[in-house]
Amino acid sequence: MDEPFLSLDPRLREKMREETLAILHETRATSIVVTHDAEEAMRMGDRVALMRAGAIVQTGAARDLYRASKDILAARTFSDLNELPARVEQRNAAPRSAVSSPMGFPTAPMPSSACASAACWLLAAGQGVPAYVQDARFLRDVALVELAVQGLSLARVRESDAPPQGAEIGVSIDTGAVLVSEAENGAWAPSQ
């Protein structure tokens, strides 16, 4: 199926996805669904194949592609990232290396040399790394909060937790949710 739900409004799209999945599971039919919608691929696919420039970049379960993306471009495909410049301080033979960034996190999986993404926590002023809320936009059940803080530009939070524009807050990193990737062209550049 090539982009089967593309032209449908959001509610009908969701209903048709669920019905299609139910039929596929009930009949145990094998199907390939082509989509440019990462959420759709993750929700529908038992296995997901990410393609770039006509070649398969990475395949696997959605959770594996999300948690162990091959590179920063693959990571951006499956989630909105809080991208930070990072540097590998030491490379170990083990799958963990010491990685530093302006926000901390001393060790992270997938040794690399250029870029990290991390889940962040918004804290009260005076806690964590100081930050200033430049903008907060409502996006259904989450808010996109634009922060002025060294190395961090955006953060997604539950809408009820979004601080108001102009607020001074603190930010910390969830060290258990750090992905380290090679940056594009070997140099870190934040996504826009």
Side-chain angles (χ1 to χ4, degrees):
M1 295 183 273
D2 189 1
E3 300 271 3
F5 314 109
L6 180 65
S7 299
L8 304 176
D9 67 72
R11 286 184 186 219
L12 182 57
R13 181 181 313 132
E14 182 62 29
K15 182 178 179 191
M16 294 307 297
R17 280 181 192 157
E18 294 306 316
E19 287 182 14
T20 301
L21 276 174
I23 290 168
L24 291 171
H25 286 136
E26 183 180 313
T27 61
R28 299 177 52 92
T30 299
S31 178
I32 295 175
V33 178
V34 177
T35 183
H36 288 91
D37 183 335
E39 182 178 322
E40 184 170 88
M42 294 175 81
R43 290 187 70 182
M44 292 193 73
D46 294 326
R47 291 189 50 82
V48 176
L50 175 63
M51 295 185 72
R52 187 181 311 134
I56 294 177
V57 175
Q58 188 172 357
T59 62
R63 181 180 303 265
D64 297 336
L65 271 65
Y66 176 80
R67 291 192 174 157
S69 298
K70 180 179 179 182
D71 57 28
I72 193 65
L73 294 174
R76 285 179 189 151
T77 299
F78 295 104
S79 69
D80 294 309
L81 305 174
N82 296 309
E83 294 183 36
L84 304 140
R87 185 176 64 237
V88 173
E89 300 294 343
Q90 70 185 54
R91 283 193 188 269
N92 299 332
R96 297 181 77 80
S97 287
V99 178
S100 67
S101 85
M103 298 294 294
F105 58 85
T107 62
M110 299 168 46
S112 177
S113 61
C115 185
S117 63
C120 69
W121 301 104
L122 304 185
L123 308 170
Q127 298 178 357
V129 176
Y132 173 81
V133 178
Q134 293 179 317
D135 191 23
R137 287 166 283 192
F138 174 74
L139 300 173
R140 292 187 284 185
D141 59 341
V142 296
L144 187 61
V145 180
E146 186 172 346
L147 303 171
V149 61
Q150 183 179 3
L152 184 64
S153 59
L154 298 174
R156 281 193 183 259
V157 296
R158 288 192 320 270
E159 189 277 327
S160 61
D161 296 337
Q165 183 176 358
E168 292 184 12
I169 63 170
V171 181
S172 71
I173 295 299
D174 177 356
T175 57
V178 174
L179 300 172
V180 179
S181 304
E182 295 289 341
E184 297 172 77
N185 303 319
W188 178 78
S191 60
Q192 297 298 325

